[in-house]
Amino acid sequence: MSSSIETRLISRERAGAAPKRAARIGAVWYRHMRVYTKNIFSNSVPPFVEPLVFLLGVGLGLGAFITRMQGMPYVRFLATGLLMTTAMFTSAFEMTFGTYIRLVFDKIYDGMLGAPLTVGDLMLGEILWCGTKGALFTASVMIVTTAFGALSFGLVWLAPLVGFATGAMFAVLALLVTTVVDNINNFNFFFSGLISPMFFFSGVVFPLGNLPGWLRVVAEFLPLTHPVRLVRGIDQGLSPVNAWDGAYIVVFVAGIGALAVARIRKRLID
Amino acid sequence: MHVAKRLDRPEQDAIVVRHLFKHYGALEAVHDLNFTALSGRCTAFLGPNGAGKTTTIKTLYGKARADARPDTEIRVLGFRLPAEELEVKSLIGLVPQDNSLDEELNVEQNLVIYSKLYGMPMTAAKPRIAELLDFMELSEKARSRVKELSGGMQRRLVVARALLNSPRLLILDEPTTGLDPQVRHLIWDRLRALMRDGVTILLSTHYMDEAYQIANEIIIMDKGRLVLQGEPRGLLAGHIESFVLEVSEPGLLESLPQARRAAEEGTASGRLRRDRTAERVLFYSSDLASIEAVAGGLPTGSHFARQTNLEDLFLKTTGRSLNE
């Protein structure tokens, strides 16, 4: 070990300037992207294939009996809904099991918070990454379903944007759940109790209009309902109710996000 | 000359802590801690588990918040905590107790991620990473997955990670716990090299030899309080006898009259300090003759006389009971 190398270890003068906020959040996003893409095949193929299997099984099988739904072919109705559920699932898994493992088992945050980051930067980076995953999964499912003719090509170059919003919504919701559980097995309550029912009661497989009145009111408050209706609106023509969908998404991400970050800050900062 | 020295003055204290209190609910983890760590030197926190070492360290980079009190002051490299945590964190390097590495990624990728957290452009990060891998003797492992590395290699990687931003202050929380002697000595050597280049070091440990080997200043903590502070040799000279006789068969002190008499006389006159564990009796003294008097009455193999060390001082100040 020559001494010149050691001298260079401290040769740079620094003024104590941390990177700008956007760069800090971007660096956190980069970390997640890097770790995720390390095992890109096993990480992305199953969640990508799942909606396609569902579309084939239910859409083609059931679609033989139900040809049209809300004025469009049933397969297309289902496919637009599945664009959003794929974003929901990937994001909800990432920020429950993924975040919990980083928090409790691998203690990844303990190291990262030694670098110039705030807890807010750390969590915004994660939420941004979940949104990105939502957009990517929406886009890939969309491309395949379009290729199979389930979706028209005209749709939905806007769909990945709604997929991003869906990813962000379920990221903040999952983060909030993560701050509540004290055991990784408790996430089963979240998935069986909230995420799975939402799959059926948010207008993905059948329209909300077919629900009893009181359940329709409940569905109106479920987060998945809004991106699903919004993406169908983009496909079939927007209507005034889509403004409510957009507003719901923005308020949900901001409100639940602020609450979840405040709670995780308490957990991360002694 | 005087002017220059005065201008340098604020730089001399890398860390200033005044009246640090920290409660976790009803538990008081740190009680009125005051200390200063000088620039370019190594300060070591020594204390049993639960002494408040890690809590104190966490308050130095915003990972823990001190109790809100008007007289509390925490300043690191001239910046105040917790208000200026980002400035502090961009100037320091941290080796946390847990490695917190991304195990799926390889060595280089782990460092690239942190170079981005520090806002380093790739053109600067690449040579810096190569330099640090060389410094920590990990160059051959650059492409190895972290989960394939030994514990010692992982720890060296965490040290390399903490040096990415060329920190002026390096904080290490139990850097060598559980590592083999080769790795410990390598890490100590690297810390010495960094100190020679002016890097300030703050570490916590419960290894006496670690503190004795590399620290200029030792702070012994127990139950959230500072118990003793000073440079290692001074602490030994000022706070503990020079020699100790360990008797491994305490029954002999009863059955052999010469040994018993020497022990009783020495203890009564204050020349010997008697301490005992479940299986041993220890006589501390700065008077070698008093030690020899007891030892002379005991058969070979039943006792062992030696110079006292930091561990003796540590046990004297923090007690022998388990911190549970």
Side-chain angles (χ1 to χ4, degrees), chain B residues 96-312:
Chain B
Q97 218 170 79
D98 296 291
N99 286 339
S100 62
L101 292 163
D102 280 312
E103 302 214 334
E104 291 295 319
L105 301 184
N106 70 29
V107 166
E108 208 168 44
Q109 289 162 341
N110 266 277
L111 294 176
V112 168
I113 285 172
Y114 271 70
S115 75
K116 300 226 181 276
L117 296 181
Y118 286 112
M120 297 166 73
M122 210 51 186
T123 46
K126 278 283 177 195
R128 179 70 183 158
I129 287 169
E131 184 175 58
L132 287 171
L133 289 179
D134 184 38
F135 185 60
M136 293 314 292
E137 300 190 11
L138 282 169
S139 298
E140 283 164 23
K141 296 289 175 184
R143 300 292 158 95
S144 303
R145 276 195 184 201
V146 166
K147 63 177 172 190
E148 293 158 8
L149 301 183
S150 70
M153 289 178 191
Q154 293 191 4
R155 206 60 181 151
R156 273 142 62 199
L157 174 55
V158 177
V159 175
R161 189 179 75 183
L163 294 173
L164 272 170
N165 61 331
S166 309
R168 277 199 267 158
L169 166 66
L170 185 61
I171 297 179
L172 309 98
D173 196 359
E174 295 186 13
T176 66
T177 298
L179 302 182
D180 64 36
Q182 284 80 1
V183 177
R184 297 175 67 195
H185 282 274
L186 181 123
I187 290 181
W188 294 344
D189 264 348
R190 293 304 174 264
L191 296 183
R192 286 189 195 102
L194 291 166
M195 280 162 66
R196 198 175 58 231
D197 290 334
V199 176
T200 308
I201 291 177
L202 179 81
L203 62 86
S204 79
T205 183
H206 34 227
Y207 290 136
M208 308 301 141
D209 50 343
E210 183 156 275
Y212 199 78
Q213 285 255 354
I214 52 179
N216 308 108
E217 185 86 355
I218 288 177
I219 295 174
I220 298 184
M221 286 184 77
D222 190 32
K223 301 186 178 75
R225 289 158 202 259
L226 187 154
V227 190
L228 273 181
Q229 177 174 11
E231 54 97 17
R233 278 160 198 82
L235 277 183
L236 283 184
H239 296 92
I240 191 148
E241 302 84 347
S242 310
F243 308 101
V244 60
L245 176 73
E246 299 187 31
V247 182
S248 51
E249 294 173 46
L252 297 174
L253 288 167
E254 303 299 322
S255 56
L256 298 174
Q258 192 197 333
R260 189 177 65 203
R261 209 173 320 117
E264 278 167 2
E265 277 171 14
T267 322
S269 66
R271 288 195 306 278
L272 289 177
R273 181 171 63 86
R274 189 182 173 121
D275 187 17
R276 68 170 307 151
T277 71
E279 301 291 333
R280 289 178 311 155
V281 171
L282 296 96
F283 293 100
Y284 288 96
S285 181
S286 293
D287 175 31
L288 198 52
S290 302
I291 295 251
E292 280 167 346
V294 180
L298 292 168
T300 330
S302 67
H303 63 278
F304 172 60
R306 58 172 173 80
Q307 288 193 313
T308 52
N309 58 33
L310 207 49
E311 186 146 343
D312 298 301

Side-chain angles (χ1 to χ4, degrees), chain A residues 240-260:
Chain A
V241 74
N242 294 134
W244 151 237
D245 295 327
Y248 181 100
I249 293 171
V250 170
V251 171
F252 187 90
V253 171
I256 303 289
L259 181 63

